[in-house]
Amino acid sequence: NLSETLNLGAVEASGYDSHFGIFYNQTQTNTAGWDNVYLMYLFGGDAARTFAIRDDGKVGIGINAPTAKLEIENTSAAPALKIDNDAAGQIALEIEAVNTTAPIISIVTATPTEGNILYFVDNSSSATARDCVAIAQLNPSATGATALDVTSSGGVTGMTLDKNVSNTNVSAATFTGLEIDFDHTVPDSGTATQNDIGINLDLNSATLGTSTSTGIDIDVVGDTSGTHTQTGIDITCTVADKNHGL
């Protein structure tokens, strides 16, 4: 039982005007024996040039049987999705999700040989302060939340911080490879015991043969003309009941 309506131009109904370039209405009541039902199917000669909208609302670009609300299959060297946002102060991509278990964004790849799975580039020459990547957990009640969790089961390095500075255009500045700012506001009431840790390093090494385990390895090399100060670790303790630098 198939009912179809196709209108080219404007459609007027129920006291208001709805204007469509193309209006297509399909009401399918019995799909028994039907393999595929499409609201729109544009085929350019091969799968790479296919645009399909299925009757369940799933949209496929480059694929005729999408399994998600929007599925893009790309076999070319061009980006599969490109967003060009020239509006100042506007968000280029916003994802609003309400769930408690599933990842908001999931990137899964099984065959990388080189390059980066996730790559952020800030090539602006502006000297204003900003964050290339900002991760914020803003709810103080989420005491079990971790703002950034890095887990590595392969390779030899869990995280690498490579800070390179070319200060030929900077007259005076302080360059920091890693900065940790830990602020714990004094509660209004309560006597619970709390432990504040800026860096918690737990190194467990189990191996056969000769092994060298290093918790923190700091290599400071200064090469400059003029006055320069190199500091491997700079620890400042301010007022508290008990102060421990290390």
Side-chain angles (χ1 to χ4, degrees), residues 204-234:
N204 296 305
S205 178
T207 184
L208 296 175
T210 303
S211 176
T212 300
S213 301
T214 304
I216 297 178
D217 185 7
I218 300 175
D219 186 8
V220 178
V221 179
D223 185 9
T224 184
S225 60
T227 302
H228 189 68
T229 301
Q230 296 93 12
T231 304
I233 298 179
D234 185 4

Side-chain angles (χ1 to χ4, degrees), residues 74-173:
N74 183 30
T75 58
S76 68
L81 177 63
K82 181 179 180 181
I83 300 175
D84 191 354
N85 182 32
D86 294 329
Q90 299 297 321
I91 298 174
L93 177 62
E94 181 176 357
I95 300 175
E96 183 176 347
V98 181
N99 65 70
T100 57
T101 56
I104 305 300
I105 298 177
S106 178
I107 301 176
V108 180
T109 178
T111 58
T113 56
E114 60 183 17
N116 306 281
I117 296 177
L118 188 61
Y119 190 44
F120 296 95
V121 177
D122 182 356
N123 199 29
S124 173
S125 60
S126 173
T128 58
R130 63 186 181 277
D131 299 318
C132 294
V133 178
I135 300 174
Q137 204 296 315
L138 302 178
N139 194 324
S141 299
T143 56
T146 300
L148 177 62
D149 183 13
V150 179
T151 302
S152 177
S153 299
V156 296
T157 305
M159 178 182 292
T160 298
L161 174 62
D162 187 2
K163 171 66 175 177
N164 297 305
V165 178
S166 176
N167 60 342
T168 57
N169 297 323
V170 180
S171 58

Side-chain angles (χ1 to χ4, degrees), residues 188-208:
D188 296 333
S189 62
T191 58
T193 301
Q194 299 182 12
N195 297 317
D196 298 334
I197 301 174
I199 297 177
N200 186 9
L201 175 63
D202 186 5
L203 177 63
N204 296 305
S205 178
T207 184
L208 296 175

